Amino acid sequence: EESLQMWDLNKRLEAYLARVKFLEEENEVLRAEIQSAKSSPAGDSWRAKYEEELRALRDALDHAFREKCTAELARDNLYEEVQQVKSRCQKEQAAREEAKKQLSLSRKELEEERRAQIWLKERAVQLEKEVEALLEVHEEEKAGLDQEIASFSQSLESFRCAPVAFQPVEVEDYSKRLSEIWKGAVETYKTEVSQLEGSLCQAKENLWKAVEDNQQSQLQLQHLEKDLAGLKARKEMLEENLARQWQEQRGEAEKFQLAMEALEQEKQSLRGQIAQVLEDRQQLMHLKMSLSLEVATYRTLLEAESTRLQMPAG
């Protein structure tokens, strides 16, 4: 029985020794692989490549953040420009409304001037008719005075023919009265003619002033229409520029969003790769620790077995 037990113990010892030797060899191989992996240039290049990629990703992230800040600043600037354009459009709309008001006032003034011009023309025609009537009355009065003078000369001739009834004092008084009447009629006629000429000149001046005011109003109306057309064209151009800028900003924002999404996906993939590498390293460390514990256990068992085998011999 003792020899069988010793044979069994020897077999077990040989199995333990073989297992320990195999594990030590495997441990050495793994240690050599780990050391070679740590000290090999491939590992350094992988680590440098990883660090370089990480640095490039960080630079790309910083660049994207800077581009995002630049885009936000450009957006703010565009918003300010849009507000300025809106204020300009409001000012131009107010100016257009003011121009419309001035245009309506000018049209009203033009209508009033046209009416005044028509009234002045009618007044001038009336004054011309009155002048013609006064001239006719003057001609009639002149003819009557000529007839009176002729009759007076005939009466003087009759007085000359009848010297008995001739009274020089009455003739002189009559001639003086007749001359005074003639002078008064001539002065009255001259005054009326001068008044009519003055009124006619005033009417002509008012007519010319109305025509000039009408021309100035038409010129001002044309200038206002040109200014209104220029303001409309400028408004359309500003609206087109604003729409184009909005389209460009939207396109740039979409590009930045796509770039950010691509960078985020790449970041997530790199995080997954880093986590996988760390997990592999952790598994290697656990495997190394388990192998070390197993080797220590086998050594302890071998030492205990060798001590137990040596004790009977002693």
Side-chain angles (χ1 to χ4, degrees), residues 176-195:
K176 286 180 181 180
R177 189 179 299 172
L178 185 61
S179 63
E180 288 176 358
I181 291 170
W182 177 256
K183 288 180 180 179
V186 170
E187 292 294 332
T188 304
Y189 174 71
K190 286 181 179 180
T191 304
E192 290 179 356
V193 170
S194 62
Q195 289 178 358

Side-chain angles (χ1 to χ4, degrees), residues 16-29:
Y16 282 129
L17 291 175
R19 180 65 177 170
V20 167
K21 187 176 180 181
F22 175 73
L23 291 174
E24 286 180 353
E25 290 177 354
E26 190 175 359
N27 193 10
E28 291 295 332
V29 171

Side-chain angles (χ1 to χ4, degrees), residues 105-277:
L105 291 173
S106 299
R107 286 178 179 175
K108 290 180 180 179
E109 291 178 356
L110 183 61
E111 292 294 331
E112 291 178 357
E113 289 174 357
R114 285 178 181 174
R115 291 175 184 174
Q117 185 178 1
I118 293 168
W119 182 80
L120 288 172
K121 286 180 180 179
E122 292 177 354
R123 184 61 179 170
V125 172
Q126 290 177 1
L127 291 172
E128 287 178 356
K129 290 181 179 179
E130 289 178 0
V131 169
E132 290 177 357
L134 290 172
L135 290 173
E136 290 178 357
V137 171
H138 175 66
E139 292 293 333
E140 290 177 357
E141 289 178 356
K142 186 177 179 182
L145 289 172
D146 290 334
Q147 289 178 2
E148 289 180 0
I149 291 169
S151 63
F152 180 69
S153 61
Q154 290 177 3
S155 63
L156 287 176
E157 291 291 334
S158 65
F159 282 131
R160 288 177 184 177
C161 294
V164 179
F166 180 73
Q167 294 179 359
V169 179
E170 292 179 0
V171 173
E172 290 177 359
D173 292 335
Y174 186 73
S175 64
K176 286 180 181 180
R177 189 179 299 172
L178 185 61
S179 63
E180 288 176 358
I181 291 170
W182 177 256
K183 288 180 180 179
V186 170
E187 292 294 332
T188 304
Y189 174 71
K190 286 181 179 180
T191 304
E192 290 179 356
V193 170
S194 62
Q195 289 178 358
L196 289 172
E197 287 179 353
S199 62
L200 184 61
C201 292
Q202 186 68 31
K204 287 181 178 179
E205 289 179 359
N206 292 327
L207 183 61
W208 281 109
K209 286 181 180 179
V211 171
E212 289 179 356
D213 292 335
N214 189 9
Q215 291 178 356
Q216 289 179 0
S217 299
Q218 288 180 357
L219 291 173
Q220 188 176 5
L221 181 62
Q222 290 177 0
H223 287 301
L224 289 173
E225 288 178 353
K226 287 181 181 178
D227 294 334
L228 184 61
L231 290 172
K232 287 182 179 178
R234 188 177 180 185
K235 181 183 177 183
E236 291 177 356
M237 183 178 68
L238 289 173
E239 288 178 352
E240 290 178 358
N241 292 328
L242 181 61
R244 187 173 63 254
Q245 288 177 359
W246 273 111
Q247 292 293 330
E248 291 177 357
Q249 185 182 5
R250 187 177 295 173
E252 290 178 357
E254 290 178 356
K255 289 180 181 178
F256 285 135
Q257 187 67 29
L258 292 174
M260 290 294 292
E261 290 178 357
L263 289 172
E264 189 67 27
Q265 291 178 0
E266 192 173 358
K267 182 180 177 182
Q268 293 295 331
S269 65
L270 287 173
R271 282 183 179 177
Q273 292 178 4
I274 291 168
Q276 186 67 33
V277 171

Side-chain angles (χ1 to χ4, degrees), residues 38-60:
K38 288 181 178 180
S39 61
S40 65
D44 295 334
S45 63
W46 179 80
R47 182 176 296 174
K49 184 178 180 181
Y50 168 71
E51 290 177 354
E52 185 178 359
E53 289 179 357
L54 187 61
R55 192 180 301 109
L57 288 173
R58 287 176 180 174
D59 293 335

